[in-house]
């Protein structure tokens, strides 16, 4: 009986040891886990504070920045109307370039919308009796383009495309000889001059076509002349000088028509059959 007491004590001590170790382990794990959990909660609080103090929309592309869901507005076209085509070239210039022009006021081409397109031409002959006759033709056309919100295209972009097409047309002339094209400085935003000669109705015609653009408006001017009944035809260079002067005046009329109080976008009543091809001068 006296020996069994120490033995019993040792058995109880061994039985209690795993329990103590488990409790100690749990206590240690709980302390570590609690530390990590506290740190995570602190980090979350800091992140929340940072988000609340940041400017609205910062970091997510919204707020005060550009709204990705809102389409950009297309710039409005600079010129809202066209000049009176038959007044685009001053009467004094017409008298010099087209002697004996009839009618003197010019003949307007047909247009369903004078705010978008307009045209006028003059033709005349100067009869010098036995020295022959000098024939001249002058033509000016305007094309205006508005901005297209649906297509996200400005009026100027549309005019640039039209300008390129009109230059190509001006250089595409059947049976033309000595055809040349070159930039024409000092006329609008950009301009190209096309010169050539053309034989028709038993006469040699000298041509100059100047295609120009000023912002959202394209201006085409064609001037040609020939000597008939024994008269000498003007040279291409002579025709080109006169055409350049008239083209500058026509381009300037666009800005004048759009100033406050400028002339309305209208032309004289067109005569029947007033349409024609600019590249052939209509004669």
């Amino acid at each position: 009986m006296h020996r069994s007491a120490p033995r019993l004590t040792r058995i109880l001590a061994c039985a209690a040891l795993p329990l103590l170790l488990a409790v100690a382990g749990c206590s240690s794990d709980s302390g570590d886990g609690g530390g990590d959990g506290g740190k995570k909660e602190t980090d979350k609080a800091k992140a929340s504070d940072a988000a609340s103090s940041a400017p609205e929309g910062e970091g997510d592309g919204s707020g005060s920045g550009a709204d990705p869901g809102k389409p950009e507005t297309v710039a409005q076209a600079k010129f809202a109307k066209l000049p009176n085509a038959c007044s685009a070239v001053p009467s004094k210039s017409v008298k010099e370039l087209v002697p004996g022009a009839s009618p003197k006021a010019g003949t307007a081409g047909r247009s369903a919308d004078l705010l978008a397109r307009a045209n006028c031409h003059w033709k005349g002959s100067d009869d010098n009796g036995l020295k022959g006759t000098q024939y001249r033709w002058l033509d000016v056309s305007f094309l205006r383009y508005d901005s297209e919100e649906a297509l996200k295209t400005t009026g100027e972009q549309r005019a640039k495309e039209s300008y390129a097409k009109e230059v190509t047309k001006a250089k595409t002339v059947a049976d033309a000889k000595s055809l040349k094209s070159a930039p024409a400085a000092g006329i609008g935003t950009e301009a190209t001059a096309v010169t050539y000669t053309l034989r028709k109705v038993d006469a040699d015609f000298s041509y100059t076509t100047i295609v120009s653009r000023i912002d959202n408006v394209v201006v085409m001017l064609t001037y040609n002349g020939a000597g008939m009944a024994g008269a000498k035809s003007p040279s291409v260079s002579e025709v080109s000088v006169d055409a350049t002067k008239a083209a500058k005046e026509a381009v300037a009329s666009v800005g004048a028509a759009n100033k406050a109080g400028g002339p309305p976008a209208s032309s004289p009543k067109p005569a029947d059959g007033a349409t024609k091809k600019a590249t052939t001068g209509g004669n």
Side-chain angles (χ1 to χ4, degrees):
M1 290 298 291
H2 293 287
R3 291 181 178 178
S4 63
R7 183 179 179 186
L8 178 60
T9 300
R10 290 196 298 272
I11 293 173
L12 291 174
C14 291
L17 181 60
L19 180 60
L20 292 173
L21 292 174
V23 172
C26 292
S27 176
S28 175
D29 290 345
S30 175
D32 291 342
D36 290 344
K39 182 179 179 182
K40 291 178 180 178
E41 291 297 323
T42 301
D43 291 343
K44 288 181 179 179
K46 289 181 179 180
S48 177
D49 291 341
S52 63
S53 62
E56 183 180 354
E58 184 175 308
D60 62 0
S62 61
S64 59
D67 186 350
K70 184 178 180 180
E72 295 182 4
T73 301
V74 176
Q76 185 177 2
K78 181 175 181 178
F79 297 119
K81 60 182 179 180
L82 293 175
N84 179 331
C86 289
S87 297
V89 179
S91 57
K92 180 180 178 181
S93 296
V94 172
K95 185 177 180 180
E96 294 174 354
L97 271 59
V98 189
S102 180
K104 292 181 179 180
T107 302
R110 293 188 178 279
S111 175
D113 183 1
L114 289 172
L115 290 176
R117 61 177 62 233
N119 166 271
C120 189
H121 74 263
W122 299 260
K123 61 180 179 179
S125 300
D126 185 11
D127 189 351
N128 295 309
L130 297 176
K131 294 182 180 180
T133 300
Q134 289 292 335
Y135 175 85
R136 298 291 186 272
W137 170 284
L138 176 65
D139 176 276
V140 62
S141 298
F142 297 87
L143 297 173
R144 190 188 67 83
Y145 296 90
D146 282 320
S147 297
E148 289 285 351
E149 186 71 38
L151 300 177
K152 298 303 175 189
T153 305
T154 65
E156 184 171 10
Q157 289 173 325
R158 297 179 65 201
K160 285 181 180 180
E161 295 175 359
S162 176
Y163 168 79
K165 293 178 181 178
E166 294 299 333
V167 169
T168 299
K169 289 180 182 179
K171 294 190 291 186
T172 308
V173 183
D175 301 322
K177 296 181 179 179
S178 303
L179 191 149
K180 298 178 182 178
S181 66
I187 304 177
T189 308
E190 58 182 332
T192 299
V194 180
T195 60
Y196 55 93
T197 61
L198 192 65
R199 179 75 177 178
K200 57 182 180 180
V201 292
D202 298 324
D204 294 315
F205 284 76
S206 294
Y207 277 80
T208 293
T209 294
I210 297 179
V211 181
S212 57
R213 178 181 69 81
I214 176 169
D215 292 285
N216 60 309
V217 176
V218 178
V219 183
M220 292 85 69
L221 183 139
T222 295
Y223 181 54
N224 68 69
M228 300 180 173
K232 182 180 179 181
S233 293
S235 67
V236 169
S237 60
E238 291 173 331
V239 169
S240 183
V241 169
D242 290 337
T244 299
K245 176 186 176 183
K248 289 181 178 180
E249 293 172 330
V251 169
S253 72
V254 176
N258 284 270
K259 288 182 179 178
S266 62
S267 294
K269 184 179 179 181
D272 292 336
T275 58
K276 52 82 208 167
K277 280 189 176 181
T279 53
T280 60
N283 52 7

